Amino acid sequence: MGEFDLIRRHFQRAPSTHNAGAVVLGIGDDCALLQPRPGHQLAISSDMLVVGRHFFADVNPEALGHKALAVNLSDLAAMGARPLGFTLALALPHADDDWLSAFASGMFALADAHACPLVGGDTTRGPLNICITVFGEVLPDRALRRDAARVGDDLYVSGCTGEARLALEHLRGSDWAAAAQGADLRARLERPTPRNALGASLAEAGARAAIDVSDGLLGDLGHILLASGVGAELRVAWLPSAPALQTLPEKQRLECLLAGGDDYELLFTAPTSARAAVKAAAALSRTPVTRIGRTVAGSGVALRDEKGQTVPFEARSFDHFA
Ligand code: ADP
Ligand code: MG
């Protein structure tokens, strides 16, 4: 199977799967042509998944196809942008038909669910490496920018954090994660759900700043705070905690909740006047949302218990070069 056969067989699909209107020209030419709606800005993001770094070499290829696109869609969600399409740059050690079919089926199932067609890419031989770039559209004054939080905003998180980290510890054989079994937990690590419906509804609802939680809640919150020039008070007892985390020793439970990573939940701020609108956005998108604190003047995060006392926790966030 040559390079062009491979692309035709696994990645080129009928134009009927295209995002009507937005994709003027898909795979097959030198460039794809995309047409955002009048008045919209393009939202663009790339995420790369590298074997041995982001996933194990023997990972289920169907799940890998899902995750490679999910982490990119999640960035559009965190901007409040609607997906238009994506490109796929792929390095493969060899062309394995079964592997490619499974990878493509995981990826396209999610792409179809979000009306986000594959419009181009590049294919080369090399150590397994998957780089997806997503393109979306958003109205200029609606984008959920990291620098948009203001002092006195409510702070929210979607779903709950920590399960992906617990699943990872289980796969690594950590003794404290020994009890953490089950397909659901593993799915949280390998098949994350990007929160695009919520992100789009929040942009409408008047939310201010947002980020998707990929490197741990505290670390990612830090990016919003730094960009916005504000601090935050986080109520640890208000953090939604999945049943799988309840039996963990408190130290490990907090580690999962606050510094877990790979959650792909949305962490966002909104003015207190938007509480009803945020609730409606959560209901409309069928996504649970929990208020977990507020932004304050200053910098950094203060962790507080129910009584307002400081909770000791050393924040560490994932950094590839630290
Ligand atoms: P070029 O020589 O311009 O780089 P290629 O020969 O690499 O073009 O690719 C031919 C066409 O196939 C282009 O439209 C390109 O976008 C598309 N393509 C290549 N690899 C992929 C891929 N992995 N997924 C989707 N489209 C791809
Ligand atoms: Mg090329």
Side-chain angles (χ1 to χ4, degrees), residues 77-156:
M79 212 65 191
R82 184 178 82 97
L84 295 174
F86 70 103
T87 59
L88 167 68
L90 197 58
L92 296 167
H94 49 260
D96 176 337
D97 246 336
D98 292 340
W99 193 94
L100 279 163
S101 305
F103 175 83
S105 86
M107 183 181 73
F108 282 127
L110 188 65
D112 292 347
H114 290 269
C116 184
L118 177 61
V119 297
D122 198 27
T123 308
T124 172
R125 191 184 287 270
L128 185 57
N129 188 332
I130 302 150
C131 183
I132 286 181
T133 299
V134 280
F135 301 84
E137 63 177 15
V138 65
L139 285 169
D141 53 349
R142 295 270 168 81
L144 304 173
R145 296 168 50 137
R146 293 180 186 183
D147 62 3
R150 299 286 169 267
V151 170
D153 279 358
D154 288 322
L155 186 63
Y156 299 86

Side-chain angles (χ1 to χ4, degrees), residues 154-172:
D154 288 322
L155 186 63
Y156 299 86
V157 70
S158 70
C160 53
T161 58
E163 287 168 295
R165 171 62 180 279
L166 187 56
L168 181 63
E169 293 295 338
H170 181 66
L171 287 180
R172 282 173 173 164

Side-chain angles (χ1 to χ4, degrees), residues 3-4 7 121-123:
E3 177 187 334
F4 300 104
I7 296 165
D122 198 27
T123 308

